[in-house]
Amino acid sequence: MTTADVSVRVAWADDAAAIAALQLRTWPETYAAVLPPESFPTGPEAVEQAAAAWHASLTRPADARHRALVALEHNRVVGFAVVGPAGDPDCDPVADAELAELTVDPAERGRGHGSRLLQAAADTMRADHFGRAVLWAVATDDALRAFLTSAGWAADGAHRELDLDGSGTTTVKQVRLHTRLD
């Protein structure tokens, strides 16, 4: 019998290109309801620019509690999570963490990577002495909300509308979910 070689670890600077490529691949699915396909950055130059931004954030985080985690199958990045202090005005950045991103390659969903990432993110936030975590989800992302709800998260009543193009014509509605960590 063979066992799967799957794990989650803190992201390294060398993971920047893989994280960037995965992020750019998943955006069209995540935002399909609000943006046309031509709105998404594509091609090697887009991946290089995103990889440079990821490399900078991984090597020089804004705060010691800002971390990226990667889900691996063998040595291949199949998902990532980003955690740090919550930045919302009604949150306490000492006590409240934000799971800023939870992304799993669509081709790899249903294999436990999201659950492992979510658990590792919760463990990381707990180790940093956060008592509560929040996450903003696209309001129409029923799959993410169902996944988080099944893991003990719940809507906290907060909502917002992001202006994606700066003109007010392309917006995305989000709802905030939260969970206790202690």
Side-chain angles (χ1 to χ4, degrees):
M1 180 170 96
T2 60
T3 57
D5 182 8
V6 294
S7 61
V8 175
R9 64 164 167 74
V10 171
W12 302 331
D14 289 348
D15 296 320
I19 294 169
L22 176 57
Q23 184 178 46
L24 294 180
R25 269 197 326 274
T26 58
W27 277 354
E29 179 182 310
T30 303
Y31 298 104
V34 293
L35 291 172
E38 62 274 9
S39 299
F40 300 103
T42 59
E45 186 177 302
V47 173
E48 286 175 23
Q49 289 174 349
W54 274 105
H55 188 274
S57 71
L58 292 170
T59 57
R60 294 180 302 280
D63 179 292
R65 297 174 300 164
H66 280 96
R67 291 199 189 78
L69 306 169
V70 289
L72 302 170
E73 177 136 2
H74 300 287
N75 289 328
R76 187 171 52 89
V77 173
V78 296
F80 68 95
V82 177
V83 301
D88 294 326
D90 64 336
C91 290
D92 176 353
V94 174
D96 298 328
E98 182 174 359
L99 179 53
E101 184 137 11
L102 179 66
T103 299
V104 175
D105 188 326
E108 300 294 335
R109 291 182 187 155
R111 298 181 180 184
H113 299 299
S115 296
R116 278 186 291 280
L117 265 176
L118 186 60
Q119 184 60 55
D123 290 345
T124 298
M125 293 181 285
R126 200 175 291 112
D128 284 335
H129 306 289
F130 291 114
R132 181 176 84 117
V134 298
L135 173 140
W136 286 99
V138 174
T140 57
D141 192 343
D142 295 335
L144 176 61
R145 287 188 296 116
F147 172 70
L148 291 170
T149 300
S150 74
W153 292 65
D156 70 0
H159 55 88
R160 68 184 180 189
E161 195 166 331
L162 298 179
D163 182 354
L164 298 181
D165 63 5
S167 72
T169 59
T170 306
T171 60
V172 61
K173 293 179 181 178
Q174 292 184 313
V175 294
R176 191 172 68 187
L177 289 87
H178 71 131
T179 192
R180 295 295 317 160
L181 295 169
D182 45 13

